[in-house]
Amino acid sequence: ELRLSLVGSEMCIRDRGGRLYRGETSINFVGNRRRWYGLSGFFVLLSIGALAIQGLTLGIEFKGGSSFTVNTPNPSVAQAREAVEEVGIASDPTIQLVGNDKVRVQTQALEPAQNNAIQDALAAKFAVSLNDIDTQIIGPSWGKEITRKALYGLFGFLLVVMIYLAMALEPKMAVSAIVAVIHDVFITVGIYALVGFDVTPATIIGFLTILGYSLYDTVVVFDRVRDNTKSISATSTKTYSQAVNLAVNQTIVRSANTSIVAILPVAAILFVGAGLLGAGTLKDLSLSLFIGLLVGTYSSLFIAPPFLAQLREREPAMQALAKRVQARNASTSSIAGVATAPVIAENGRGPRNQPKRKGRK
């Protein structure tokens, strides 16, 4: 029975996808764009509030500081905090477990004497030698250099992608895709600020990865839009917005399947690897990927196509096309109404029934 139920569900999904592809049924993505814009606006405002109030928690790779990783069979956050407090460090350190045999302590930039004091306190607290403590000291100038390179890489990526999309597709498609990408990054960064996870180089790698994924999904939709609008002015059967909406409906099943396949392993890394197993080094990368994949899938269907349709509908050619389609639909409706209307005589009494003549004998 379970197998039959699964087979029936699969056939139902295929039938639904086929009807969406053929245009027999449709989800009005473009027509409801105000709703999607409003939802995105809410999350953008939430991101602005999180960035303004709480801000991003930068890792020591960006702001500089000292990192002490203690290799011990019995790691404990509480014991590590006690060891740092015994030294008398003013700032609140960041302490996290790394797997089942390590605890990491990160502090602000310290003097050499303070670094040595923390190493001695950690060694005494966990009963290990100094060789079991991995120490990393990062100066603020190196952190600024990393930040500068990350920003250069981000802006360079956006510029190259915009040029490529403008050449491969259309300039307005490139603009729409970049708007969707900025939307994805902004919301992802805002959620990062809200959650309070450290921003590390792994986070930047995750950001660049979700940019590529979001663009891939958007390009798939736009490629279908281009196919649907090649001769749209000549046929005059659909407006540009209707053709875009059909393209989104034709690709929604593929986008959903691709997103689910991509999100499941990332969710496993985030919730199982970082959450249950305590792999703290994975949470920065996995969180940015998880949020970015969800937001990227949403923007490729609900933000980029409606924004593209809005840009193109302002063109005189598309406005003229919309008028022709409207006139054609009105003419078709009037012809259908005349064909189905009853015949009415001039006196308003309808057709007159003549008596049958009797045949001659």
Side-chain angles (χ1 to χ4, degrees), residues 171-341:
K172 290 184 179 179
M173 286 185 177
V175 173
S176 302
I178 294 300
V179 168
V181 166
I182 295 175
H183 162 275
D184 299 344
V185 172
F186 202 85
I187 292 180
T188 305
V189 171
I191 294 177
Y192 239 85
L194 191 64
V195 174
F197 277 21
D198 290 343
V199 177
T200 64
T203 307
I204 303 301
I205 294 173
F207 285 160
L208 294 176
T209 303
I210 64 173
L211 293 183
Y213 180 84
S214 176
L215 285 170
Y216 164 77
D217 216 6
T218 303
V219 167
V220 169
V221 178
F222 282 176
D223 187 64
R224 190 64 198 176
V225 170
R226 184 178 57 177
D227 292 340
N228 289 355
T229 57
K230 280 183 178 179
S231 57
I232 189 171
S233 298
T235 57
S236 299
T237 57
K238 295 185 183 68
T239 65
Y240 192 87
S241 295
Q242 291 171 344
V244 171
N245 197 73
L246 176 61
V248 180
N249 280 273
Q250 289 175 332
T251 55
I252 185 174
V253 175
R254 176 180 179 179
S255 297
N257 292 336
T258 305
S259 300
I260 292 173
V261 171
I263 288 173
L264 285 178
V266 175
I269 295 174
L270 177 62
F271 297 108
V272 178
L276 297 180
L277 301 181
T281 54
L282 297 176
K283 70 178 184 179
D284 302 332
L285 175 62
S286 58
L287 179 64
S288 61
L289 286 176
F290 183 76
I291 298 173
L293 288 175
L294 290 176
V295 178
T297 303
Y298 166 78
S299 67
S300 65
L301 298 175
F302 295 89
I303 300 300
F307 190 79
L308 171 65
Q310 193 172 2
L311 290 179
R312 292 297 306 271
E313 289 289 0
R314 295 178 180 178
E315 299 177 1
M318 295 301 107
Q319 291 177 355
L321 172 64
K323 292 180 180 179
R324 292 198 303 270
V325 173
Q326 185 178 5
R328 180 186 180 128
N329 293 337
S331 176
T332 304
S333 300
S334 62
I335 292 174
V338 170
T340 57

Side-chain angles (χ1 to χ4, degrees), residues 32-44 298 303:
N32 294 324
R33 60 173 175 263
R34 294 182 182 273
R35 297 180 182 179
W36 321 135
Y37 293 169
L39 181 61
S40 295
F42 169 76
F43 282 105
V44 167
Y298 166 78
I303 300 300

